[in-house]
Amino acid sequence: MPLLDSALLVVAREKGFAEAEGIELRLVREISWANMRDRMAVGHFDVAHMLAPMPIACNLGLTPLAVPTHVPMALGLGGNAVTVSNALWRRMEDAGAKPDLDPALAGRALRAVLRERAKAGDPVTRFAVVHPHSGHGYELRYWLAACGIDPERDVEIVILPPPLMADALGAGHIDGYCAGEPWNSIAVASGVGHIATVKAKIWRLSPEKVLGVAAGWAAENPHALDALLRALYGAAEWCGNPGNRADLAALMAEPDYVDRPAEWLLPALTGDIPTGSGNSVLVPDFLVPHAKGATFPWKSHALWFYSQMVRWGQIPASDQNAAIARETYRPDLYRSALKLLGVALPGANAKVEGALTEATPVGSAGASLVLGPDGFFDGGVFDPGSLEAYIAGQTGRS
Amino acid sequence: MNAASTLRILVIDDNRVRVSVIEAGLRDAGYDRVTIIHDVTDIARRIGEIEPDVIIIDLENPNRDMLEHMFQLSRAVKRPIAMFVDRSDTASIEAAVAAGVSAYVVDGLRRERVKPILDMAVSRFRAFSRMERELEEARSELEGRKVIERAKGILMKSRGLSEAEAYALLRKTAMNQNRKIGDIAQSLVTAAGLLGGDL
């Protein structure tokens, strides 16, 4: 998909990491996530750049025409933002929002604006996300709900493909959206929107895209899968090197990939985000391709997405469904492919999300691994060992 | 009365030529309650009005995710289910995906009634893409021929060759460089343009 977080796949091919592992990586640009899923189902694709919750939705049978899908690797952390129209931003500023990307402040202002609008009988405020089973959808809802906004009642959430977001915002069809980069920076650069907050501030070091692998293909081609994971690991290291940013922006700007000017891709790579108010904010960990275990498929990430699917009524809570979500992410495949490289491999398969308030070295095989700080902006903590209690404590749709 | 004619079919496609080909095919097959939408703006309301039994959409349409989501929400359509014909019918799914067409079945429509519609849409999509390809080939062939003519003219004028000799030189150069004759001709025309004069 034409998104910056497809970079690991692009770099694996273009910078020779795939070739060095003896695999031929053919990349196809797709136009919708539904196409990607359908073409994987009929065997056109073996592996794909996928929204992190998408393989879970496939395995839970939430989406039509899905095949069993593994997640043996994540393709980085962070990278999204919430952009609002100029008109909505002006009202949010009047209600106390600052161009500092702080989610609590922006959320409080948005809540005030929504109340005024409801009182005045204005049409409901409409946000777009890219897919019903997306990190964007869940983080937008999490942010809204934590700020006292009911995402089911106080706003309307619709689906739009990322390349159409800025145009829809400019045309007044939507009032805001949560999408991956560069589609927020493009709205700012073309003057149609303001970035209100970012994924990395809603949930720091949160999962975004993963490698989805057709289970049938993985079973028949274990060596090719291992080689692919090693190639992607090499690509992630390359992408994480600040010295390669300009090169990476130029590569991703090409017509076969994101097909937009390189300067629009740079904010996400440097984390220096122009908000649309004439300033820019340096966001730590805006997009993390490699450091801090960014490619490890944490089962706690899978279970958090599952908890949100339950929260928003997409799936009933059951031990069986939780097990399907947990087993979708495959750290075992990650470890077995990468162990020969001598790189840092976490000792655990899951972690308590939001527990680290500072950078912390953790137990790992091979080189040392530093994780965190991580966490949800509202101080929430997700302990995958207390899944049922977490689900029970969520305020869901009313 | 033909059973097929009772089915309401909605085709969403912004390519007007392609959509008219599909529409003609569906009508030939006896499906005459066909509605065409070119633009997805306000699509929820339109679907609510049309209440189609089958929706056919092109895989090139970036709004597929939106449409699927709408069916899951069950706001626009009564008790909707989003399906791709039938999960078990992989052969027709594969044919449809390969041809670039996706079909959604709205509500409890039986597979035997959907299959002929989808088969028709697939064959019409294929017919359309073949037609488009042939058109493109004809166009590029014509372009190629024009460039070769110009290149021959440049060689005849600058090197005093006959037309046959000029063509032979182009062909030989193409073979030596393992390139197409049209590419060689294009390079020559470009170079002549850069060097100026009326070569």
Side-chain angles (χ1 to χ4, degrees), chain A residues 236-383:
Chain A
E237 272 184 313
W238 190 91
C239 292
N241 180 347
N244 292 330
R245 277 174 189 157
D247 203 0
L248 179 57
L251 174 61
M252 294 306 293
E254 285 181 14
D256 286 347
Y257 303 121
V258 179
D259 195 18
R260 292 294 187 282
E263 66 262 29
W264 292 352
L265 303 175
L266 277 170
L269 296 178
T270 59
D272 194 13
I273 310 294
T275 64
S277 296
N279 68 330
S280 68
V281 178
L282 193 63
V283 180
D285 298 332
F286 180 84
L287 174 68
V288 186
H290 176 254
K292 307 184 183 188
T295 55
F296 191 77
W298 294 100
K299 284 183 183 277
S300 39
H301 288 167
L303 287 167
W304 187 80
F305 285 127
Y306 163 73
S307 78
Q308 301 306 292
M309 291 176 182
V310 173
R311 182 179 191 181
W312 306 115
Q314 294 173 338
I315 188 97
S318 75
D319 290 347
Q320 197 196 349
N321 287 340
I324 290 171
R326 187 186 301 113
E327 296 316 313
T328 299
Y329 278 38
R330 298 291 302 273
D332 56 322
L333 297 176
Y334 181 95
R335 283 202 190 86
S336 72
L338 300 183
K339 63 175 183 268
L340 291 176
L341 298 183
V343 298
L345 296 172
N349 284 338
K351 56 191 167 77
V352 179
E353 302 292 338
L356 301 177
T357 52
E358 55 192 71
T360 311
V362 296
S364 69
S368 70
L369 181 66
V370 176
L371 298 179
D374 63 1
F376 297 88
F377 79 100
D378 62 346
V381 170
F382 173 65
D383 179 354

Side-chain angles (χ1 to χ4, degrees), chain B residues 26-60:
Chain B
L26 290 170
R27 289 194 195 281
D28 289 349
Y31 301 104
D32 45 19
R33 300 174 75 181
V34 181
T35 310
I36 312 289
I37 292 186
H38 298 293
D39 178 2
V40 295
T41 314
D42 206 16
I43 190 149
R45 189 182 55 79
R46 296 295 306 279
I47 292 177
E49 286 168 6
I50 298 162
E51 294 193 43
D53 299 297
V54 183
I55 298 174
I56 296 174
I57 187 169
D58 163 13
L59 291 185
E60 294 296 306

Side-chain angles (χ1 to χ4, degrees), chain A residues 31-35 37-39 42 44 61-66 130-133 156-157 159-161 164, chain B residues 41 58-66 68-69 72-73 75 82-84 86-87 90 93-94 97-98 102 104:
Chain A
I31 202 158
S32 72
W33 297 107
N35 278 10
R37 180 203 62 215
D38 291 355
R39 296 191 65 184
V42 299
H44 292 179
L62 290 179
T63 181
L65 198 79
V130 304
H131 194 269
H133 308 119
E156 182 185 2
I157 298 178
I159 306 297
L160 264 187
L164 304 188
Chain B
T41 314
D58 163 13
L59 291 185
E60 294 296 306
N61 194 315
N63 285 299
R64 280 195 62 207
D65 289 323
M66 180 193 90
E68 268 194 15
H69 181 233
Q72 287 168 354
L73 280 182
R75 277 183 200 154
M83 282 181 59
F84 199 109
D86 185 307
R87 249 173 233 257
T90 46
I93 291 169
E94 180 153 15
V97 172
S102 169
Y104 296 95

Side-chain angles (χ1 to χ4, degrees), chain B:
Chain B
M1 192 176 129
N2 185 346
S5 67
T6 61
L7 287 181
R8 269 181 294 242
I9 303 166
L10 172 64
V11 182
I12 302 172
D13 197 327
D14 56 11
N15 182 320
R16 283 165 199 268
V17 180
R18 179 168 51 211
V19 95
S20 66
V21 173
I22 294 163
E23 187 187 15
L26 290 170
R27 289 194 195 281
D28 289 349
Y31 301 104
D32 45 19
R33 300 174 75 181
V34 181
T35 310
I36 312 289
I37 292 186
H38 298 293
D39 178 2
V40 295
T41 314
D42 206 16
I43 190 149
R45 189 182 55 79
R46 296 295 306 279
I47 292 177
E49 286 168 6
I50 298 162
E51 294 193 43
D53 299 297
V54 183
I55 298 174
I56 296 174
I57 187 169
D58 163 13
L59 291 185
E60 294 296 306
N61 194 315
N63 285 299
R64 280 195 62 207
D65 289 323
M66 180 193 90
L67 204 62
E68 268 194 15
H69 181 233
M70 235 173 53
F71 297 152
Q72 287 168 354
L73 280 182
S74 77
R75 277 183 200 154
V77 199
K78 269 174 269 164
R79 285 200 319 108
I81 44 167
M83 282 181 59
F84 199 109
V85 194
D86 185 307
R87 249 173 233 257
S88 57
D89 187 6
T90 46
S92 71
I93 291 169
E94 180 153 15
V97 172
V101 55
S102 169
Y104 296 95
V105 177
V106 176
D107 213 358
L109 192 62
R110 290 193 316 277
R111 175 171 155 195
E112 57 270 28
R113 303 189 71 190
V114 181
K115 183 127 177 39
I117 301 175
L118 193 62
D119 286 348
M120 176 60 68
V122 166
S123 70
R124 288 285 156 160
F125 259 80
R126 288 212 173 113
F128 173 78
S129 66
R130 196 161 51 234
M131 193 173 82
E132 212 177 34
R133 203 167 51 237
E134 279 164 7
L135 205 64
E136 181 56 38
E137 277 164 11
R139 195 181 297 133
S140 62
E141 201 187 323
L142 199 66
E143 286 292 310
R145 246 186 278 157
K146 267 194 240 160
V147 166
I148 291 169
E149 287 305 315
R150 287 185 59 197
K152 276 197 299 191
I154 291 166
L155 287 176
M156 287 158 71
K157 203 168 169 189
S158 65
R159 311 252 318 245
L161 301 176
S162 72
E163 186 175 350
E165 286 167 338
Y167 186 74
L169 180 58
L170 282 174
R171 198 178 53 194
K172 186 164 157 258
T173 311
M175 279 166 64
N176 286 347
Q177 298 191 7
N178 197 19
R179 289 166 67 194
K180 286 185 190 141
I181 194 162
D183 294 346
I184 297 292
Q186 183 63 57
S187 310
L188 185 64
V189 170
T190 308
L194 286 172
L195 293 170
D198 56 359
L199 278 178

Side-chain angles (χ1 to χ4, degrees), chain A:
Chain A
M1 291 289 277
L3 290 160
L4 196 53
D5 52 27
S6 65
L8 270 59
L9 287 160
V10 173
V11 166
R13 178 188 162 80
E14 299 285 347
K15 297 292 171 187
F17 293 101
E19 207 183 344
E21 290 291 343
I23 50 173
E24 189 199 348
L25 194 57
R26 264 180 294 154
L27 301 178
V28 179
R29 192 166 74 154
E30 263 304 340
I31 202 158
S32 72
W33 297 107
N35 278 10
M36 191 123 65
R37 180 203 62 215
D38 291 355
R39 296 191 65 184
M40 190 140 131
V42 299
H44 292 179
F45 303 146
D46 304 315
V47 301
H49 172 223
M50 281 190 172
L51 299 156
M54 209 177 161
I56 301 170
C58 287
N59 293 347
L60 286 169
L62 290 179
T63 181
L65 198 79
V67 291
T69 306
H70 297 321
V71 174
M73 189 174 212
L75 299 177
L77 303 170
N80 298 343
V82 179
T83 298
V84 298
S85 68
N86 293 333
L88 180 54
W89 178 252
R90 274 193 298 275
R91 293 193 62 169
M92 284 170 66
E93 266 190 325
D94 290 345
K98 298 267 184 293
D100 60 1
L101 307 179
D102 175 35
L105 203 60
R108 208 156 47 223
L110 179 62
R111 185 174 66 160
V113 173
L114 294 177
R115 290 216 170 133
E116 286 165 23
R117 288 183 56 117
K119 218 180 281 173
D122 291 341
V124 68
T125 301
R126 187 182 288 167
F127 281 89
V129 296
V130 304
H131 194 269
H133 308 119
S134 61
H136 318 79
Y138 300 126
E139 72 214 20
L140 179 71
R141 284 163 183 268
Y142 187 94
W143 171 58
L144 293 172
C147 294
I149 297 165
D150 181 343
E152 299 287 326
R153 203 188 52 215
D154 300 339
V155 295
E156 182 185 2
I157 298 178
V158 299
I159 306 297
L160 264 187
L164 304 188
M165 292 279 190
D167 287 345
L169 192 71
H173 296 157
I174 53 175
D175 302 292
Y177 60 84
C178 181
E181 278 291 277
W183 305 105
N184 302 283
S185 291
I186 285 176
V188 169
S190 45
V192 298
H194 281 246
I195 298 180
T197 187
V198 298
K199 176 184 178 80
K201 283 184 178 273
I202 294 170
W203 176 12
R204 190 157 171 185
L205 298 177
S206 57
E208 180 46 40
K209 297 301 183 316
V210 295
L211 185 73
V213 178
W217 180 84
E220 283 166 25
N221 301 281
H223 299 299
L225 178 60
D226 283 355
L228 175 64
L229 297 186
R230 287 193 298 267
L232 288 171
Y233 190 88
E237 272 184 313
W238 190 91
C239 292
N241 180 347
N244 292 330
R245 277 174 189 157
D247 203 0
L248 179 57
L251 174 61
M252 294 306 293
E254 285 181 14
D256 286 347
Y257 303 121
V258 179
D259 195 18
R260 292 294 187 282
E263 66 262 29
W264 292 352
L265 303 175
L266 277 170
L269 296 178
T270 59
D272 194 13
I273 310 294
T275 64
S277 296
N279 68 330
S280 68
V281 178
L282 193 63
V283 180
D285 298 332
F286 180 84
L287 174 68
V288 186
H290 176 254
K292 307 184 183 188
T295 55
F296 191 77
W298 294 100
K299 284 183 183 277
S300 39
H301 288 167
L303 287 167
W304 187 80
F305 285 127
Y306 163 73
S307 78
Q308 301 306 292
M309 291 176 182
V310 173
R311 182 179 191 181
W312 306 115
Q314 294 173 338
I315 188 97
S318 75
D319 290 347
Q320 197 196 349
N321 287 340
I324 290 171
R326 187 186 301 113
E327 296 316 313
T328 299
Y329 278 38
R330 298 291 302 273
D332 56 322
L333 297 176
Y334 181 95
R335 283 202 190 86
S336 72
L338 300 183
K339 63 175 183 268
L340 291 176
L341 298 183
V343 298
L345 296 172
N349 284 338
K351 56 191 167 77
V352 179
E353 302 292 338
L356 301 177
T357 52
E358 55 192 71
T360 311
V362 296
S364 69
S368 70
L369 181 66
V370 176
L371 298 179
D374 63 1
F376 297 88
F377 79 100
D378 62 346
V381 170
F382 173 65
D383 179 354
S386 315
L387 179 63
E388 279 171 36
Y390 187 81
I391 287 175
Q394 294 182 133
T395 51
R397 57 203 302 181
S398 40

